[in-house]
Amino acid sequence: MDAEERIAYLERLGELRGSKVLVYFSYRPLDDTILVPLYKQLKEIGHTKRIDLLLHSYGGAVDTPFKIVMLIREFCDEFSVIVPFVAKSAASMVVLGADEVVMGPVSELGPIDPLVKHPVYKDLWVPVQAVQHCLDYLQRSIVDSPDQDVAISILSPVLNKLDPWLIGDYEKALKASRQYAEALLSRYMLRDNPELVQVVTKVLTEGYFSHGYPIGRQEAKQLGLKVFEADGELWDVIWELYLGYEELFLVGEEE
């Protein structure tokens, strides 16, 4: 799919949705580098009634989603997120700040489990819950051992590598993700159902053990999220755009 075809599909999507459509499609962790180009695009559009964000991301930094939502909402009255395939972790947090999420049969959200950079391997991003699960595992291993002194001696090399300052930062990131999720849900996605805010927050931040757990549109609806199920021409256009952007990324990698 060339650029003209993508533009034509985007224009048709905007017609079908009655919106201005923005696209964020990336395989890199979502972080604050998105904010300046996003602001430039929003300034070009100006204030409009509805903005749709076509979002494909596996997640990223804990603070960025809240900034994205607040920025987009400066320029529109209604904000929706369109998920053609994957919007996980921090990208799912963006969804919580929308008025609705548009999903098809293969669309996936995920648990809210922010990523942090590994303190040694700078190109490696680690789900913060992985650190918590590591600590839980070490504690259980010691408590459940028939000889705790032996268990401690075996696990001591691992324990000695755990920097308390880093653990504190990871714990703050977990608490921040819960705070952001609750704030976004109460202000936007679940503002009409405040009794669900804490329940949904707890499920999304603590209820899944796999970082990659797929929350499809039916499960998202069961959780209480406002899901618009895309079908017919609308879904066909969304899916063709996904394939077009995926092809663009594959070509870029080959080059």
Side-chain angles (χ1 to χ4, degrees):
M1 183 185 294
D2 59 27
E4 288 187 4
E5 290 177 292
R6 285 195 302 275
I7 291 171
Y9 275 114
L10 286 169
E11 289 176 347
R12 182 55 182 157
L13 179 56
E15 291 172 358
L16 291 169
R17 290 278 300 162
S19 68
K20 296 289 186 180
V21 181
L22 300 173
V23 178
Y24 181 79
F25 191 108
S26 179
Y27 290 99
R28 295 182 58 189
L30 182 66
D31 61 25
D32 284 1
T33 57
I34 184 182
L35 297 174
V36 171
L38 175 60
Y39 177 57
K40 289 179 179 178
Q41 283 198 335
L42 289 167
K43 279 191 69 177
E44 289 181 9
I45 293 172
H47 194 278
T48 188
K49 180 173 176 56
R50 173 186 281 181
I51 288 177
D52 283 337
L53 175 65
L54 185 79
L55 179 61
H56 178 79
S57 170
Y58 285 87
V62 65
D63 299 314
T64 301
F66 191 82
K67 297 177 185 181
I68 292 171
V69 172
M70 294 300 104
L71 179 56
I72 291 175
R73 285 191 171 276
E74 288 284 334
F75 289 85
C76 65
D77 301 320
E78 300 173 17
F79 169 49
S80 299
V81 175
I82 300 172
V83 181
F85 187 26
V86 168
K88 295 296 187 73
S89 193
S92 291
M93 186 87 78
V94 177
V95 170
L96 304 188
D99 297 305
E100 67 174 5
V101 56
V102 180
M103 301 178 72
V106 298
S107 304
E108 294 180 15
L109 307 180
I112 305 300
D113 183 11
L115 302 174
V116 291
K117 285 188 176 181
H118 192 283
V120 178
Y121 307 106
K122 299 300 183 180
D123 293 332
L124 179 63
W125 288 69
V126 182
V128 291
Q129 287 192 17
V131 180
Q132 186 177 51
H133 291 313
C134 171
L135 293 172
D136 290 343
Y137 169 75
L138 293 174
Q139 183 181 34
R140 289 197 313 273
S141 297
I142 293 171
V143 171
D144 296 341
S145 173
D147 190 330
Q148 293 189 0
D149 291 337
V150 172
I152 291 173
S153 66
I154 293 173
L155 295 173
S156 287
V158 178
L159 292 168
N160 291 336
K161 289 183 177 181
L162 295 176
D163 187 329
W165 294 102
L166 288 174
I167 294 171
D169 278 343
Y170 293 164
E171 180 65 19
K172 284 199 304 182
L174 283 171
K175 290 180 177 179
S177 66
R178 297 186 192 108
Q179 183 179 35
Y180 282 136
E182 189 170 327
L184 291 171
L185 286 168
S186 61
R187 292 184 197 182
Y188 304 115
M189 179 68 75
L190 294 180
R191 62 180 176 271
D192 297 328
N193 297 289
E195 70 281 357
L196 289 179
V197 170
Q198 290 192 10
V199 175
V200 175
T201 298
K202 185 175 180 64
V203 170
L204 290 176
T205 57
E206 302 177 29
Y208 300 96
F209 292 110
S210 172
H211 181 76
Y213 182 92
I215 300 175
R217 61 184 182 182
Q218 299 307 323
E219 185 166 353
K221 287 175 69 175
Q222 291 168 5
L223 285 173
L225 302 184
K226 294 180 181 176
V227 178
F228 183 90
E229 296 191 43
D231 55 17
E233 184 186 2
L234 175 61
W235 175 247
D236 290 341
V237 170
I238 291 169
W239 187 245
E240 286 300 321
L241 276 168
Y242 167 76
L243 294 176
Y245 280 103
E246 184 185 46
E247 179 185 357
L248 182 64
F249 268 73
L250 290 174
V251 170
E253 288 179 357
E254 290 174 357
E255 293 175 351

